DNA sequence: CGCCAATAGGAGCATATGCTCGTATCGTTC
DNA sequence: GAACGATACGAGCATATGCTCCTATTGGCG
């Protein structure tokens, strides 16, 4: 036998989360691949579509991503003409991210793929279970550790 | 008001998972920083400590990580002398990863930090809730999508 | 024995993630 | 209006993640 029964690392909350995130991330990536989008890219376009243009920082906060990470994630999208990143007229420090026409149509192409992936996941995992899991995960963000502070 | 109430993206299982993983990952990283380890690096050393030496692929499977990702994650650890990566005598295709003495002591340094982080998380999130969350996340891995297959 | 599918991995690429440090700007305060 | 702290970023760095294509090796099969 292995020493699995005595492995305390099995109880690591972070490892459990990362494993599941890698797994589901790859699954969603694959589901969205026909539209030429990664799951994260879809999230970005979807948020821009739902909330309209905003600064890089606001967009980053919206999906709990670091500002600098969002900035580099926007580069491939801007290169493909799916989003525009323009200096703000009102505040010249800020750069405003907006969904370009191609980005909107790309998002609309990906939307049914996303919906089908959601449905497939919830079919296997349980619709109520999935909703509870999402609520639970949102609760993790409210534990108040604020790892980004100082 | 925003259009938040009509944002279907709020129900994205993958986004919920990634957000929480980024958040908790940063929190665990910070907790382990005094030991000079990232959370993922700690997981690797911990698994090697619990299960002994193994191939790169086996180690990758153990934490649901891609083989090539594990290979590159091992490089900084090998550079610091925390692990050794040596060709297998039995199978010259395989490379065996083993915990070096420095790696064991580093892991033992990080262990109380990890335990304290676990305790702090479970204090705020709820011990039973955390256990249920981990079980739920393990369940995600059993949905059978196998995103790595062709 | 020779061939071949399967296995284990490396190289190179692209994106993802987030840090530190530095820059530009803004708003307030004296 | 000059100084200063806060805000919004960018650049450069390092690690994380995983893909495709490639090589080396193994084990089985005719």
């Amino acid at each position: 036998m292995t020493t699995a029964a005595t492995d305390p690392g099995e109880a690591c909350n972070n490892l459990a989360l990362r494993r599941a995130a890698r797994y589901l991330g790859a699954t969603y990536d694959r589901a969205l691949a026909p539209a030429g989008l990664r799951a994260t890219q879809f999230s970005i376009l979807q948020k821009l579509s739902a909330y309209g243009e905003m600064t890089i920082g606001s967009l980053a906060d919206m999906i709990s991503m670091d500002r600098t990470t969002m900035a580099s994630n926007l580069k491939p999208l801007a290169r493909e003409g799916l989003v525009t990143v323009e200096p703000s007229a009102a505040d010249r420090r800020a750069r405003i991210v907006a969904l370009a026409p191609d980005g909107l149509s790309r998002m609309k192409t990906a939307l049914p793929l996303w919906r089908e992936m959601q449905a497939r996941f919830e079919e296997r995992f349980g619709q109520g279970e999935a909703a509870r899991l999402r609520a639970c995960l949102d609760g993790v963000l409210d534990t108040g550790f604020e790892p980004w502070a100082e």
Side-chain angles (χ1 to χ4, degrees), chain A:
Chain A
M1 65 165 278
T2 69
T3 51
T6 60
D7 176 9
E10 284 303 311
C12 183
N13 301 296
N14 184 51
L15 179 56
L17 203 39
R18 287 203 168 236
R19 290 170 69 159
R22 276 193 286 262
Y23 177 89
L24 204 62
T27 304
Y28 272 70
D29 278 352
R30 173 164 296 211
L32 295 173
L37 289 177
R38 308 286 189 89
T40 300
Q41 297 178 321
F42 174 76
S43 291
I44 293 172
L45 298 185
Q46 190 276 322
K47 290 298 175 195
L48 285 174
S49 162
Y51 297 90
E53 61 181 34
M54 67 187 84
T55 65
I56 293 179
S58 303
L59 190 53
D61 287 346
M62 191 159 286
I63 62 178
S64 308
M65 178 183 287
D66 187 86
R67 177 181 54 77
T68 64
T69 304
M70 176 59 74
S72 47
N73 286 353
L74 287 172
K75 284 177 186 171
L77 294 175
R79 194 196 312 140
E80 287 194 74
L82 305 183
V83 301
T84 59
V85 184
E86 299 291 343
S88 164
D91 183 344
R92 264 178 295 178
R93 293 170 304 181
R95 289 159 62 81
I96 304 294
V97 188
L99 195 60
D102 282 0
L104 180 59
S105 62
R106 185 76 74 93
M107 204 274 288
K108 284 181 175 170
T109 303
L111 199 52
L113 299 175
W114 173 75
R115 276 200 246 270
E116 190 193 333
M117 185 63 242
Q118 289 277 108
R120 282 203 294 157
F121 175 75
E122 299 192 358
E123 176 204 346
R124 298 198 195 181
F125 193 70
Q127 199 167 11
E129 280 298 310
R132 273 190 291 281
L133 175 59
R134 288 196 304 270
C136 212
L137 292 169
D138 287 348
V140 170
L141 300 178
D142 296 326
T143 44
F145 287 111
E146 309 210 350
W148 51 80
E150 313 100 272

